[in-house]
Amino acid sequence: MKPIGLVIPVALGLIWEGAVQYGVASGRLMPPPSLLLHATVALARSGELWSHVTATMARIGLGFLFGAAAGTAMGVLNGASPFMRQLLDPTIQALRAIPSLAWVPLFILWLGIFETSKLALIAMGVFFPVYLGVLSAIQGVDRKLIEVGRVFGLTPMGIALRITGPAVLPAWIAALRTGLGLGFMFVVAAELMGASEGLGYLLLDGQQMGRADSILVAMIVFALLGKACDSILVAIGVPLLRWQDTVRARL
Amino acid sequence: MTQLSISHVGKTYADGTEALRDIQVRANEGEIVAILGGSGCGKTTLLRLVAGLDTPSAGTIAVGGETIAGTHPAISAVFQEPRLLPWLKVGANIAFGGQRLEATERQRRAEALIERIGLAGYGGRWPRDLSGGQSQRVAIARALIGHPGVLLLDEPFSALDPFTRSSLHELVLGLWAELKPTILMVTHDVDEAVTLADRIVVMKPRPGRVHESMTVDLPRPRDRLTSAFEMMKRRVLRTIDRSLDAERPPAARPAGPGGASPWL
């Protein structure tokens, strides 16, 4: 990220800080940056912030792993086999049309209130964009490049590994990034549905206790973690996509 | 060196469109045969059948006496567009054509070919950094790295400027002289066909059929400015005109044998 990206948040923070310091606003419902810093330091010193962050990141990590693996496998299966696509894709598309939060009661009923239902919800949020990204990327691979593989003697497996795989890679990484973003969205929903720790729980706790500073700290930490995880995915993708003419534009 | 035989080959698509009918073409070992004809006469379809990318509805294709079905190790191809794999560097793209070679031999040939096609020092570059002519040179090297018995050229020079096209003609002829593959090329450029081919097969359209086959009896290297070259071109053009006349209703035909050729 270039320093210019910090200009707007820093400027808004300074304006708000000034407005509260000079009595233009009370800062009760929207605490100024100095108070948020104070609240963050207090949460960090008590160790509470780290336990919330660890719980949330463990859920996102596992949910993303399961969702991305399942989405990729299903995308590859349906992309490679017209029969499987005809068999499975209509059902998957119908399931995708159900708002994911509508699954919450069923997941709780089936899997209980603890971790399994939360992971299932996050994994489902990640699954659909990854599945769609991989499927459409496989279907969009240039037929002419496949023909090159055939003419030069590649087996179907060789074509999958040496042509389809690299051709799909940019779209796969883009789909993983979308899935990760949805993973962060769904972890909040998962933690709101009954958790004793996690940044989502911190949000809920802040609302119930009237602590706007806790809510804002949780939101800022979410933003920082989300950006950091996305940057890691981009960093992993850049060396693999150096061949692209538009690697910067795509990522 | 390998002989290529196309015997009574036809191609009708699932929707009933007949693209090719009873095609008979033979390319002798080390011979360059040009398939010439206008759009829609099935030139590229024929090449795709020989490459094994499509299946003929009738007839057989044989390489070195062996009837083939699908792709064959002895057949390689250069397409209209370079079709380089963008995620492989230039050297790796050339080596890609030698799937059946042992790794060290593949590497050795790729390095030798990079120099041979005039792109020494480009082995570590991405295809995106190449011009159209350079990309097509790499595609030619990729097709020849495995020393194929039959090389198919599907209008590989059609998108290039005349200078680049001429230098690629020289490159192909040079590599052909060294490796002597049998070449079956598709083109709509009469000049190119006369420059490169030992024999020209003129096709007529709807459905694609062989109209006439003629030998280009000119010594190599061929000089485009000689009267013999010009006479050969005129002969080919007249043949093309006749092939088209046969398809036109009488009223649309040129006035007489002395009528101006639409190709000149």
Side-chain angles (χ1 to χ4, degrees), chain A residues 143-154 162-164 166-167 240-246, chain B residues 48 51-53 71 75-77 79 81 83-88 96-97 99-100 126 128 142-143:
Chain A
R143 171 186 59 80
K144 292 175 177 173
L145 296 184
I146 303 284
E147 287 180 356
V148 168
R150 290 175 59 197
V151 164
F152 291 110
L154 287 189
R162 300 193 57 190
I163 294 184
T164 311
L240 299 172
L241 303 178
R242 263 188 310 211
W243 52 271
Q244 279 193 308
D245 234 352
T246 54
Chain B
R48 288 180 62 81
L53 296 173
T71 56
I75 299 177
S76 187
F79 302 95
E81 53 307 296
R83 299 193 187 185
L84 301 183
L85 302 178
W87 49 85
L88 296 182
F96 186 86
Q99 299 293 328
R100 299 174 181 95
W126 297 109
R128 66 171 187 234
R142 177 178 65 183

Side-chain angles (χ1 to χ4, degrees), chain B residues 6 11 37 39 64 92 157-158 165 184 209 211 228 231 242:
Chain B
I6 301 166
K11 177 67 183 175
S39 295
F157 317 113
S158 61
R165 192 181 306 162
L184 183 67
R209 287 154 290 163
H211 175 72
M231 279 174 64
R242 281 200 303 275

Side-chain angles (χ1 to χ4, degrees), chain A residues 14-113:
Chain A
L14 288 175
I15 290 168
W16 191 243
E17 184 71 40
V20 174
Q21 293 294 337
Y22 290 102
V24 180
S26 74
R28 191 177 65 83
L29 292 177
M30 182 67 189
S34 59
L35 257 177
L36 293 181
L37 188 65
H38 180 75
T40 308
V41 171
L43 280 168
R45 278 201 180 136
S46 68
E48 203 182 335
L49 182 63
W50 307 122
S51 68
H52 291 313
V53 167
T54 308
T56 296
M57 289 311 292
R59 286 174 188 137
I60 287 181
L62 280 172
F64 177 75
L65 204 65
F66 289 135
T72 303
M74 194 60 80
V76 168
L77 182 70
N78 288 357
S81 161
F83 172 75
M84 295 307 288
R85 186 167 62 252
Q86 286 158 15
L87 180 73
L88 296 173
D89 190 59
T91 307
I92 294 173
Q93 297 304 336
L95 292 174
R96 191 170 72 92
I98 300 171
S100 299
L101 294 181
W103 290 93
V104 170
L106 206 57
F107 280 166
I108 291 175
L109 204 63
W110 284 347
L111 304 169
I113 193 79

Side-chain angles (χ1 to χ4, degrees), chain A residues 92-174:
Chain A
I92 294 173
Q93 297 304 336
L95 292 174
R96 191 170 72 92
I98 300 171
S100 299
L101 294 181
W103 290 93
V104 170
L106 206 57
F107 280 166
I108 291 175
L109 204 63
W110 284 347
L111 304 169
I113 193 79
F114 299 109
E115 289 304 305
T116 317
S117 56
K118 293 178 179 58
L119 291 181
L121 187 66
I122 297 164
M124 197 175 65
V126 175
F127 172 85
F128 288 115
V130 174
Y131 166 74
L132 276 183
V134 171
L135 177 62
S136 58
I138 289 177
Q139 289 181 309
V141 172
D142 188 350
R143 171 186 59 80
K144 292 175 177 173
L145 296 184
I146 303 284
E147 287 180 356
V148 168
R150 290 175 59 197
V151 164
F152 291 110
L154 287 189
T155 59
M157 182 54 79
I159 287 173
L161 294 176
R162 300 193 57 190
I163 294 184
T164 311
V168 163
L169 197 59
W172 185 57
I173 290 175

Side-chain angles (χ1 to χ4, degrees), chain B residues 4-7 9 46 49-50 56 59-63 66-69 75:
Chain B
L4 172 70
S5 281
I6 301 166
S7 307
V9 162
L46 178 61
L49 296 179
V50 178
T60 57
I61 296 166
V63 174
E66 174 197 350
T67 300
I68 60 167
I75 299 177

